[in-house]
Amino acid sequence: MSTTDTVNENQKIDPRLPQKAMRASCCYMGLGQFAVLKQRFRGTLLMLFEAYVLIDIILGIFDVYIPGEFFDSIYYEGSNFLLKALNGMLFFFLDFVNLVFCNNTIIAGLTGLVTLGDPHPELPVAERDHSIFMMINGLIVVILLAIFIFMYVSTIFSARRDGEKIVAKNRFPTRQQTRNDMSQNSFPIMGVAPAVIMMLFFTVMPLLFSALVAFTNYSSPDHIPPNNLVDWVGFENFKTMFSSSSQTGNGEWLKAFGHVATWTLTWAVFATFTCFFVGFFFSVVLLDKRIKLPQIYRTIFILPYAIPQMLSLFVWANLLNGTMGPINVMLHSIGMKAVPWLSDPNMAKVTLILVNIWIGFPYSMVLVTSSMTAISNSLYEAAGIDGASRWQQFRSITLPMVMYQLKPNLIMQFAGNINSFGAIFFLTGGGPSLKIGGGADALNLSIATQAGSTDNLITWIYKLTMNSNQYNLASVLSILVFVVLVPFGLYNFMRTKSFKEGEI
C-alpha cells in the first residue's frame, strides 16, 4: 500500500481530528475536507464554490466591471496572425471574467428585491427598471443563497462525521475507498437533487412571488411596469381587503370577500358530497344482481365525465339561457314562466350544484365501484346467515370499508373544489352581479371589486388579475386560500386511518 494513500498503521490518529475538521469547515467551506481530512477533490470543489460566491459579492459591492472602452483600448489592428490570435484569446478571457465574476448577480439581485428599481423617465421604456423582473431575480438569488447556506452547514457536519470515522478506524481511507464512498453516498443525493431544485424553482419560488406581490402596489393603472415602478406598501392591501373604513371604499372589499368566501365553502361542501354520494348511490344500485345489463348503464353514466368539461359547460350554458335557451323556450310553450337559471343569484347557485353533479358523479361512481368490488363476498354471506338485512349490510360492511379507502380521496376532492375554476367560470362566469340590498338603493359590489354572485375565490382572483390588473389584491386572496387550505388538507388527511396505518 502506498504511503501517500494511508497513514502508517502504527501512527495514532489525533482524536481531536473531527473537531479540527469541523472548525476548518466553519472558517471556509471545504477547508476541513481539503486540509484536515485529505479529501482533496471534494474539498477543492467546495472551496471553489465558496470562492465564486465571495468574488461575486465583493465585485458586486464595489461595482467592478470591465468597461467596453477597455476592450477598445487593447484591440489589436495589426496584421500579425499570432498577435491577432493572442488578442482574441485575451478578449475571450476578459468576456468570461465579465460574465462569470463581474455580473454582479448576488448584490444586484438582493438590491433589486429591496428597492424594486429606480425611476428613469429619461430612458426608453424598454430600458427602464422592471420591478417584477427584479423581484423574480431577487427571489432566485435568495433561493441560491439558501442552497449555499444549506451546503455550508451540511459540509460542517459532514466533516465531523468523516473525522469520527477516521478516528474510529485509526487510519485515513485510501483514494479508492474515498472514491467508492463518494460514489455510494452521492448516488441518492444526485438522484434527489434535481427534484429538489425543480421544486424550489417551480413550486416554492412562485409561492413566494405570489406572497410578496401582496405587499406591493402592483396594480393598474399607475403601477404596471415597465412604464411605472412597483413599490412596497406593507400591509396596505390587507387593510383594503378587510377594513370597513371609508378610506378603503366603505368596506366594499370586505363585504365582497365575506360573500365570496362563504359561497366558496358552501360550494366546496355541496360539490364534494353531492357528487360523491350520488356516485355512491348509483354504484350500489348497479352492483345489485337484480339490475339487468349494468355495463350499459355504467357506460351511459360515464359519458358526462368522458366529454371535455368545458364543452359540457358551454352546452349547459346555452341550454339554460334565460331568453333563448331550449329549456325556457319549452317551458314557455307549455304555458309556464321562464326560470332564471343563470340570472338570479340564488337560482344560479342551485343550477351550478346540479350541473356539477351531472358532470362529477361518474368519477365517484367509478371509484366506489372499484372499492366495493374489492370487498369479499364472504362478509355479506356471513352477515346474511346472521340475519342482517340489506340496509344493515350496507351500513355495517359496505359504507365503513368504502369510506376507509376513499376518505383521503374525498378530502382531496374537497380541496380541489375550493380551488375549482372551470365549473363556475364556463357556466356562469361568476355572474350575476353581486348586489347588497334591494331596490334602487342596492349596492353593486361587482363594479368596484369585480366579484360576482357565484364567484368563488379562484374565479375572483382570475378576474382581478385578467380583467382589472389588480395583482396585489389577488395575491392577498391567494395567500388566504393557501393559509386555510393547506393546513386543513394536511390535518384531515393525516388523521385518516389509511394514512396512519398505510395498509388495509
Side-chain angles (χ1 to χ4, degrees):
M1 187 178 295
S2 174
T3 57
T4 60
D5 291 340
T6 62
V7 185
N8 191 317
E9 301 230 350
N10 295 325
Q11 182 179 350
K12 181 72 174 176
I13 297 294
D14 187 354
R16 297 174 299 172
L17 184 71
Q19 289 74 24
K20 291 182 178 179
M22 191 174 179
R23 285 194 293 268
S25 293
C26 285
C27 295
Y28 195 90
M29 186 169 69
L31 184 59
Q33 282 80 2
F34 183 87
V36 181
L37 302 178
K38 300 184 179 180
Q39 299 173 353
R40 310 298 189 193
F41 178 73
R42 182 184 178 190
T44 300
L45 291 179
L46 294 172
M47 293 170 68
L48 288 175
F49 182 43
E50 181 173 353
Y52 171 77
V53 173
L54 292 178
I55 291 174
D56 188 278
I57 292 175
I58 293 171
L59 295 182
I61 292 175
F62 294 100
D63 198 19
V64 177
Y65 190 81
I66 302 176
E69 293 80 5
F70 180 76
F71 285 87
D72 295 336
S73 65
I74 63 173
Y75 179 71
Y76 176 72
E77 298 180 353
S79 58
N80 189 296
F81 176 78
L82 179 60
L83 292 179
K84 278 189 175 183
L86 293 174
N87 188 248
M89 294 174 63
L90 179 61
F91 267 60
F92 175 81
F93 174 75
L94 293 177
D95 273 335
F96 176 79
V97 171
N98 253 351
L99 179 64
V100 177
F101 295 105
C102 300
N103 203 21
N104 196 6
T105 304
I106 297 175
I107 298 299
L110 295 178
T111 303
L113 182 61
V114 173
T115 64
L116 297 181
D118 299 318
H120 293 287
E122 73 282 358
L123 296 176
V125 173
E127 297 180 10
R128 297 177 188 175
D129 288 344
H130 197 296
S131 300
I132 301 304
F133 291 166
M134 298 179 78
M135 183 186 295
I136 294 173
N137 291 336
L139 284 175
I140 293 174
V141 170
V142 169
I143 291 176
L144 292 176
L145 287 177
I147 294 174
F148 171 74
I149 294 172
F150 175 78
M151 289 181 60
Y152 204 128
V153 175
S154 300
T155 301
I156 295 171
F157 289 102
S158 175
R160 185 180 67 179
R161 287 194 302 268
D162 293 343
E164 290 172 349
K165 291 179 182 179
I166 293 173
V167 171
K169 295 180 180 180
N170 196 32
R171 64 183 178 86
F172 286 94
T174 63
R175 292 175 182 171
Q176 184 62 39
Q177 290 173 337
T178 301
R179 284 194 294 268
N180 293 339
D181 185 64
M182 288 182 62
S183 62
Q184 292 175 3
N185 294 332
S186 62
F187 178 76
I189 296 175
M190 296 300 294
V192 174
V196 173
I197 293 174
M198 294 283 285
M199 182 185 69
L200 287 174
F201 284 99
F202 294 101
T203 301
V204 175
M205 193 179 77
L207 290 175
L208 292 176
F209 173 75
S210 178
L212 289 180
V213 169
F215 299 94
T216 68
N217 55 5
Y218 184 26
S219 61
S220 182
D222 297 326
H223 299 283
I224 298 294
N227 286 331
N228 307 101
L229 293 175
V230 174
D231 303 310
W232 296 108
V233 295
F235 290 92
E236 289 300 319
N237 297 318
F238 292 87
K239 293 179 182 178
T240 300
M241 182 64 67
F242 300 113
S243 174
S244 58
S245 170
S246 59
Q247 297 180 353
T248 57
N250 293 319
E252 292 181 350
W253 288 97
L254 179 60
K255 294 173 184 176
F257 173 78
H259 180 277
V260 173
T262 302
W263 164 239
T264 299
L265 293 176
T266 305
W267 157 258
V269 170
F270 277 95
T272 301
F273 290 101
T274 53
C275 288
F276 182 80
F277 286 107
V278 170
F280 205 142
F281 171 78
F282 281 104
S283 297
V284 173
V285 170
L286 293 177
L287 285 175
D288 195 301
K289 296 180 180 179
R290 293 171 292 182
I291 299 294
K292 304 299 182 182
L293 302 175
Q295 295 85 354
I296 295 178
Y297 292 107
R298 288 196 188 97
T299 303
I300 295 173
F301 290 152
I302 204 68
L303 287 177
Y305 186 73
I307 299 173
Q309 186 187 68
M310 182 179 67
L311 179 61
S312 299
L313 291 168
F314 280 143
V315 171
W316 274 108
N318 287 316
L319 289 174
L320 299 171
N321 186 279
T323 55
M324 298 178 293
I327 296 178
N328 275 345
V329 170
M330 183 186 66
L331 292 176
H332 181 73
S333 66
I334 60 177
M336 296 179 63
K337 292 183 178 180
V339 178
W341 302 105
L342 304 178
S343 56
D344 179 75
N346 294 323
M347 194 65 206
K349 294 175 182 178
V350 174
T351 303
L352 266 173
I353 294 172
L354 293 176
V355 173
N356 187 70
I357 292 174
W358 183 80
I359 292 174
F361 90 88
Y363 174 73
S364 297
M365 183 186 71
V366 172
L367 288 179
V368 175
T369 301
S370 62
S371 179
M372 288 179 63
T373 54
I375 302 174
S376 175
N377 287 329
S378 61
L379 295 175
Y380 295 104
E381 293 173 358
I385 294 172
D386 292 338
S389 64
R390 288 183 177 272
W391 167 248
Q392 290 173 327
Q393 293 178 23
F394 172 79
R395 187 182 62 185
S396 303
I397 299 174
T398 306
L399 183 61
M401 297 194 72
V402 169
M403 293 303 297
Y404 177 83
Q405 298 179 61
L406 298 184
K407 192 175 181 180
N409 181 269
L410 193 62
I411 294 171
M412 292 300 103
Q413 284 189 41
F414 179 80
N417 282 318
I418 288 181
N419 284 318
S420 177
F421 176 80
I424 294 174
F425 184 79
F426 293 118
L427 184 60
T428 66
S433 298
L434 177 57
K435 296 180 181 179
I436 295 180
D441 296 330
L443 177 63
N444 190 344
L445 297 178
S446 299
I447 297 175
T449 67
Q450 297 288 318
S453 294
T454 58
D455 270 321
N456 66 358
L457 290 172
I458 303 304
T459 57
W460 192 20
I461 290 172
Y462 176 85
K463 287 183 176 180
L464 288 174
T465 55
M466 303 304 295
N467 295 350
S468 58
N469 295 334
Q470 293 176 297
Y471 303 101
N472 50 350
L473 295 173
S475 294
V476 172
L477 297 175
S478 300
I479 292 175
L480 294 174
V481 172
F482 179 83
V483 169
V484 173
L485 191 59
V486 172
F488 168 81
L490 290 176
Y491 174 73
N492 285 279
F493 184 68
M494 293 173 66
R495 291 181 63 209
T496 59
K497 289 185 178 180
S498 54
F499 177 84
K500 295 177 181 178
E501 299 176 10
E503 59 183 13
I504 299 176

